[in-house]
Amino acid sequence: MPIGSVSRFEADAFCAWDGGRLPTEAEWNYAASGGSEQRVFPWSVPPTSTTVDQTYADYNPADDGPGAMDAVGSQSPQGDGKWGQSDLVGNIWQWTHDNGSVPYAINPCDDCSDEPQGATNVLRGGSAFHGTDDLLVSLRHPISAAMPRWADVGFRCAR
């Protein structure tokens, strides 16, 4: 199962301990959109396809109450991104390294530990508790890095 109820600081610390770091928004977006394909959803083929159902991502289709998270990779390979990453959208929101500035930096950081952090960081990817609008690759959710823990907020590490 995905690990939720994780603060931005805990996610950052875990990734550092594991030899990685939180992905920048540019890195997360590149993976989820299929690079230059700019997919609507990570699985969109052709890139403009808006086909989505619960075999692609874990989400609450009615958006009318709590969903239930699925095991990591349970929608694989249907919901996988271009390069095989599972769960890029749906199941659990994911912390990114970047603050909430618009537009976000398009270049990966050289040394992410030296990058300035704001009071706001960005979640990407939607969750099992929300509907299809939150699954769009383009959706950004700026939020306080010091927010209380939410069950549907987690992370993935980049290397």
Side-chain angles (χ1 to χ4, degrees):
M1 298 302 288
I3 298 172
S5 299
V6 179
S7 76
R8 158 67 170 78
F9 308 106
E10 291 165 334
D12 201 36
F14 178 88
C15 287
W17 170 83
D18 195 41
R21 58 180 172 72
L22 290 175
T24 65
E25 266 202 275
E27 291 168 326
W28 188 97
N29 192 73
Y30 190 85
S33 67
S36 63
E37 291 181 6
Q38 293 299 294
R39 295 175 176 193
V40 174
F41 300 107
W43 56 80
S44 293
V45 176
T48 57
S49 172
T50 57
T51 301
V52 61
D53 63 41
Q54 290 204 314
T55 64
Y56 291 95
D58 184 18
Y59 65 95
N60 181 358
D63 201 16
D64 60 358
M69 288 181 247
D70 286 341
V72 172
S74 61
Q75 276 76 20
S76 185
Q78 299 95 309
D80 291 354
K82 179 178 180 177
W83 297 287
Q85 304 97 330
S86 296
D87 301 321
L88 284 163
V89 298
N91 224 14
I92 200 161
W93 286 101
Q94 299 167 38
W95 285 110
T96 64
H97 173 77
D98 294 327
N99 63 31
S101 63
V102 176
Y104 61 84
I106 58 171
N107 298 316
C109 53
D110 293 322
D111 179 356
C112 290
S113 64
D114 290 340
E115 295 293 316
Q117 292 298 302
T120 302
N121 282 93
V122 178
L123 299 174
R124 298 293 294 262
S127 83
F129 296 6
H130 300 279
T132 57
D133 289 347
D134 285 356
L135 302 178
L136 296 168
V137 168
S138 59
L139 183 69
R140 306 174 73 227
H141 189 49
I143 193 158
S144 170
M147 68 166 227
R149 290 180 177 90
W150 290 348
D152 64 335
V153 174
F155 64 100
R156 71 176 57 229
C157 299
R159 290 179 173 69

